């Protein structure tokens, strides 16, 4: 794993699997299940689209961070690693 912020955040997120849902929002998401995590990704994606078109830049930045966070939770819930996604992106960059 690299020193990239997304890789570091993923490691923290993955470490919260099975954690105390009263002490961690991430653990609470895992406890609620895959469908709830996927729903949060969808909600955040819609907010990014709305702010990408009509919102101020700071809202786009904030909602983009929310989307990336929830996407990383979804990856962790499905045991997909950032390295797998980075490898797929690298193939597309050729």
């Amino acid at each position: 794993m690299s020193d990239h912020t997304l890789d570091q955040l993923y490691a923290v997120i993955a470490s919260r699997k099975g954690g105390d849902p009263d002490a961690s929002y991430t653990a609470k998401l895992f406890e609620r299940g895959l469908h709830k995590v996927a729903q949060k990704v969808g909600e955040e994606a819609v907010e990014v689209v709305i702010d990408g078109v009509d919102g101020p830049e700071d809202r786009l930045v904030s909602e983009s961070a929310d989307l990336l966070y929830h996407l990383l939770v979804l990856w962790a819930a499905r045991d997909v690693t950032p390295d797998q996604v980075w490898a797929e992106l690298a193939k597309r960059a050729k």
Side-chain angles (χ1 to χ4, degrees):
M1 197 160 291
S2 77
D3 288 333
H4 191 279
T5 302
L6 290 175
D7 292 313
Q8 293 170 1
L9 180 56
Y10 180 87
V12 171
I13 288 168
S15 76
R16 304 281 165 85
K17 282 176 98 172
D20 180 2
D22 292 329
S24 165
Y25 172 72
T26 303
K28 186 180 292 186
L29 280 174
F30 284 127
E31 181 184 62
R32 290 182 177 170
L34 186 58
H35 288 97
K36 182 61 175 178
V37 173
Q39 178 186 349
K40 289 299 294 179
V41 172
E43 290 170 6
E44 297 302 339
V46 169
E47 291 174 0
V48 166
V49 169
I50 291 167
D51 286 322
V53 173
D54 290 324
E57 183 178 304
D58 63 327
R59 291 296 307 153
L60 176 58
V61 169
S62 177
E63 294 301 340
S64 294
D66 288 348
L67 175 58
L68 288 170
Y69 162 78
H70 286 92
L71 182 59
L72 290 172
V73 174
L74 180 61
W75 292 354
R78 291 290 314 271
D79 295 320
V80 169
T81 67
D83 287 339
Q84 289 173 277
V85 177
W86 308 157
E88 180 63 26
L89 288 170
K91 286 193 295 189
R92 295 176 186 199
K94 293 180 181 181

